[in-house]
Amino acid sequence: MFSLGEAVAVGLLLELLLAGIVITEFTLATRAYKTSRSRGADGQEALNQALSTVLPAPVAKAMGMEFGLFRALWRWIRRKPDAPEGHQILTYGSEIKPIMWAMVFLVPLEILAVEFLVPWSVVRIILLALSIYGTLWVLGFIAALSIRPHSVGDGKMVLRFAHFVQIAIPLDLVESVRTTRHSGYRRAVQIDDGVLAMPIGDSTTLSVKLREPYPVAPKTGKPLQEVREVRFAADNTREAVRILTANIVAD
């Protein structure tokens, strides 16, 4: 048993040690963020790198996804696209946004149903909090689709799916660009038989053929796989083909 004075001293020592750990991790994360930004990474990439510096990989990945949604929502409110300076933008996601908006507008009905059907006040409060958080999550996802478009510039084509996936392809490897629809995909990014697909819903609308295989990691931490064709979706396929063709010719 400690005396009161000893207990206070031990408590203060533990608090100081904890504060030192927090400050050290914050400093390391800030340094990693700034280093990533100085090397050309966008805000989301730098955030992911900062989190992975101080947290276990699974925790860093989960927190990066959550922080990314609210970061996207904040930039969306401020109307600040998260695209490299000077890049031309190719928007995507118009096919799934109506579904996401429908989910947002159904939340008031869900809350009303809970108020009438659930008799326990504590449960109602918990479900209300979950509904609000879920709504913010969906709005953040809509925001991420809007402010993180595909982009073309600096000799590369940058393809994204919200803040979850980002893959860059050098334009000097592009052999041809054409409009063609492929369907049946089940993941946001997948590589099969040398074909990289980044669909919206389950479909892609553009095909980019490469002159030679190019190594791509489908997700951070996954092994590289060589691809010879890239399929992705864009809202305006004609404009996308024009922009890509013009940049290929310019390069």
Side-chain angles (χ1 to χ4, degrees), residues 85-156:
E85 188 73 25
H87 279 216
Q88 293 175 279
I89 287 174
L90 309 178
T91 61
Y92 62 90
S94 61
E95 295 180 10
I96 62 174
K97 284 179 183 177
I99 299 173
M100 309 304 291
W101 280 114
M103 293 172 63
V104 171
F105 291 130
L106 285 174
V107 169
L109 295 178
E110 177 185 300
I111 293 174
L112 186 62
V114 167
E115 286 295 320
F116 280 105
L117 297 176
V118 179
W120 305 285
S121 59
V122 173
V123 176
R124 288 202 304 269
I125 292 172
I126 293 173
L127 291 175
L128 175 62
L130 290 174
S131 295
I132 293 173
Y133 181 80
T135 302
L136 289 174
W137 197 98
V138 174
L139 286 172
F141 182 59
I142 295 172
L145 290 174
S146 300
I147 68 139
R148 289 181 61 80
H150 304 315
S151 65
V152 181
D154 295 330
K156 60 187 176 182

Side-chain angles (χ1 to χ4, degrees), residues 16-250:
L16 288 172
L17 288 173
L18 181 59
I21 292 171
V22 171
I23 292 171
T24 300
E25 293 203 341
F26 180 78
T27 302
L28 290 173
T30 302
R31 186 178 301 167
Y33 181 88
K34 291 180 178 179
T35 301
S36 296
R37 292 290 282 169
S38 67
R39 293 174 178 172
D42 63 26
Q44 184 63 42
E45 288 179 301
L47 173 62
N48 292 340
Q49 183 60 43
L51 291 172
S52 65
T53 301
V54 297
L55 296 172
V59 178
K61 182 178 180 180
M63 291 188 67
M65 289 182 178
E66 293 298 307
F67 287 162
L69 287 171
F70 293 102
R71 176 179 176 275
L73 188 57
W74 175 240
R75 294 184 68 97
W76 188 43
I77 292 171
R78 295 160 62 202
R79 297 184 179 182
K80 291 186 65 176
D82 193 7
E85 188 73 25
H87 279 216
Q88 293 175 279
I89 287 174
L90 309 178
T91 61
Y92 62 90
S94 61
E95 295 180 10
I96 62 174
K97 284 179 183 177
I99 299 173
M100 309 304 291
W101 280 114
M103 293 172 63
V104 171
F105 291 130
L106 285 174
V107 169
L109 295 178
E110 177 185 300
I111 293 174
L112 186 62
V114 167
E115 286 295 320
F116 280 105
L117 297 176
V118 179
W120 305 285
S121 59
V122 173
V123 176
R124 288 202 304 269
I125 292 172
I126 293 173
L127 291 175
L128 175 62
L130 290 174
S131 295
I132 293 173
Y133 181 80
T135 302
L136 289 174
W137 197 98
V138 174
L139 286 172
F141 182 59
I142 295 172
L145 290 174
S146 300
I147 68 139
R148 289 181 61 80
H150 304 315
S151 65
V152 181
D154 295 330
K156 60 187 176 182
M157 170 179 64
V158 182
L159 303 179
R160 291 160 156 175
F161 179 66
H163 64 295
F164 301 115
V165 179
Q166 177 167 300
I167 294 175
I169 304 293
L171 290 174
D172 58 6
L173 293 182
V174 175
E175 182 177 72
S176 65
V177 182
R178 64 191 180 96
T179 301
T180 180
R181 192 175 189 89
H182 296 88
S183 302
Y185 299 107
R186 296 186 178 182
R187 298 190 298 274
V189 55
Q190 63 184 73
I191 299 176
D192 295 306
D193 298 325
V195 177
L196 166 67
M198 292 182 61
I200 290 296
D202 69 342
S203 303
T204 61
T205 56
L206 289 161
S207 172
V208 176
K209 295 287 184 66
L210 306 182
R211 292 191 179 90
E212 59 186 64
Y214 181 71
V216 169
K219 292 183 180 179
T220 303
K222 296 294 184 180
L224 294 172
Q225 300 181 51
E226 291 191 339
V227 301
R228 296 193 65 100
E229 180 182 358
V230 180
R231 298 173 183 172
F232 65 100
D235 292 338
N236 189 333
T237 54
R238 182 177 298 180
E239 180 68 5
V241 170
R242 186 194 67 78
I243 290 174
L244 284 167
T245 304
N247 277 271
I248 294 168
V249 171

